[in-house]
Amino acid sequence: MNKESKAYIRNVMKGRGFIIDFLSTALAIGILIMVLLNSFGDSTGMYFVQIFGFGALLAFLNFIKKVRVRSGFAAAFAVFGVLMAVLAVLCYLKL
């Protein structure tokens, strides 16, 4: 790896959004794994609460990221996060 590549990686990791991007990536991978586990096996539909909960966390992380850059699209992420949280609660209550 040359000097420019190392400097680029170092600058990206020092950025304000790196931790949010890393958490978002981990949540997205977790959601994909739970969707796969939910689709196969004997007890389908078991992970809906966790899937919607992780989706709400993902939306709220994106909301925080968009608020930092003062984007108008932050409101859409906030609404989507609330919707996902409501769906998680409804799935938990099995309504």
Side-chain angles (χ1 to χ4, degrees):
M1 202 181 301
N2 59 13
K3 276 186 171 182
E4 291 85 18
S5 298
K6 288 180 184 179
Y8 175 76
I9 291 171
R10 212 170 317 144
N11 286 335
V12 167
M13 291 180 70
K14 288 182 185 179
R16 290 180 74 182
F18 177 73
I19 292 176
I20 291 177
D21 288 338
F22 181 75
L23 290 174
S24 295
T25 303
L27 284 171
I29 290 170
I31 289 171
L32 289 174
I33 290 171
M34 283 189 286
V35 166
L36 288 174
L37 290 174
N38 199 31
S39 298
F40 303 112
D42 296 333
S43 57
T44 57
M46 191 170 88
Y47 294 107
F48 280 139
V49 175
Q50 290 85 359
I51 291 169
F52 286 126
F54 278 13
L57 285 173
L58 189 62
F60 288 130
L61 285 173
N62 283 319
F63 167 73
I64 292 169
K65 189 175 175 181
K66 293 297 179 184
V67 165
R68 283 184 178 176
V69 296
R70 298 180 184 182
S71 173
F73 202 62
F77 281 116
V79 170
F80 186 67
V82 169
L83 177 67
M84 294 294 270
V86 167
L87 287 172
V89 169
L90 289 177
C91 286
Y92 178 73
L93 297 175
K94 297 183 181 179
L95 295 177

